[in-house]
Amino acid sequence: MMEERITDIMKRIEAACERSGRDPSEVTLIAVSKTKPLHMIEEAYGLGIRHFGENKVQELVRKCNDLNDAYGHSIKWHQIGHLQRNKVKQVIDKAVLIHSVDSVRLGHMIEQEAAKKNIICDVLIQVNIAKEDTKDGVSADELIPLFMELIRLPHIRVRGLMTIAPYVTNPEKNREYFSKMRQLFIDIKTKNIDNGLTDIYFVPESFNILSMGMTGDYEVAVEEGATMVRIGTGIFGDRDYSDIR
Ligand SMILES: *Cc1c(COP(=O)(O)O)cnc(C)c1O
């Protein structure tokens, strides 16, 4: 069952790439395993999945520890949910990428903890592209100011942008948002950061991740340039929130 689902998703990603003249190797599938038990993660791993997304720090850390002996660093954990500053310390050396940086204060906390551990932390800036009250992330207007602050922090590497598009039944409705995200992404990538500024830790070549698209809309997201799609239900089935530890 999971095997068919993953095969179908891979095919659809390939087809979306073909339609938009992209190479499927540009797109990474992140299996969103929140609320799902370890055996399902192991099953997905057995089917070739290496990237897993969690939205709660406690759950990511617990699963990372539980699977560490068997799989170690071959499983790549992604922190995709909102990150509180007091949880940064726990997750920073477990997650390969934090998708959800949306404030200078959070950036400074990541900088501080990464410096202590002498690591460089890869992050994305989360953009609330549809300006939904219920969603985290900066507005398009706040993006550049936040970006300019984050690239001054030596232990943070800004790798790209992330968004959670509105919940829709017709994915075409999100196309304009994905397209806007790609435009913001390109604007930053090609931005000529004033050479007169010193202590800038921005590397345009490593600004290469656009994380957007979920079960309901990933094909449109890929057509519009997503390099990471985050798929939960489409791989693992519906989530049951009643028995979360
Ligand atoms: C849960 C979640 C997903 C996956 O959602 P599905 O609709 O189940 O594919 C993707 N991104 C984030 C940030 C999530 O919290």
Side-chain angles (χ1 to χ4, degrees), residues 5 53 98 128:
R5 286 171 165 170
I98 295 172
N128 184 358

Side-chain angles (χ1 to χ4, degrees), residues 30-34 53-55 79-82 99-100 126 162-164 167 211 213-218 229-235 237-239 241:
I30 300 175
V32 176
S33 47
K34 64 190 183 198
E54 291 285 340
N55 67 339
Q79 172 64 32
I80 60 174
H82 180 69
H99 290 233
S100 48
Q126 182 174 352
M162 177 272 223
T163 198
I164 305 173
Y167 179 78
S211 168
M214 310 183 3
T215 298
D217 57 17
Y218 69 92
V229 292
R230 310 177 308 267
I231 301 184
T233 333
I235 293 176
D238 288 339
R239 281 181 289 275
Y241 285 95

Side-chain angles (χ1 to χ4, degrees), residues 182-208:
R182 182 189 48 197
Q183 200 52 57
L184 292 171
F185 176 78
I186 291 169
D187 287 349
I188 290 181
K189 200 171 170 61
T190 55
K191 195 174 164 62
N192 258 331
I193 294 180
D194 188 349
N195 292 329
L197 295 172
T198 52
D199 298 333
I200 292 289
Y201 299 92
F202 180 57
V203 184
E205 303 81 70
S206 62
F207 189 85
N208 56 9

Side-chain angles (χ1 to χ4, degrees), residues 99-140:
H99 290 233
S100 48
V101 175
D102 63 357
S103 75
V104 176
R105 275 157 53 100
L106 176 58
H108 280 287
M109 182 58 83
I110 294 172
E111 168 62 25
Q112 184 183 315
E113 296 301 329
K116 279 188 203 161
K117 294 195 160 96
N118 199 21
I119 56 175
I120 291 181
C121 186
D122 281 339
V123 307
L124 307 179
I125 300 177
Q126 182 174 352
V127 182
N128 184 358
I129 196 69
K131 299 184 181 155
E132 290 177 284
D133 294 341
T134 52
K135 299 237 163 92
D136 297 305
V138 292
S139 68

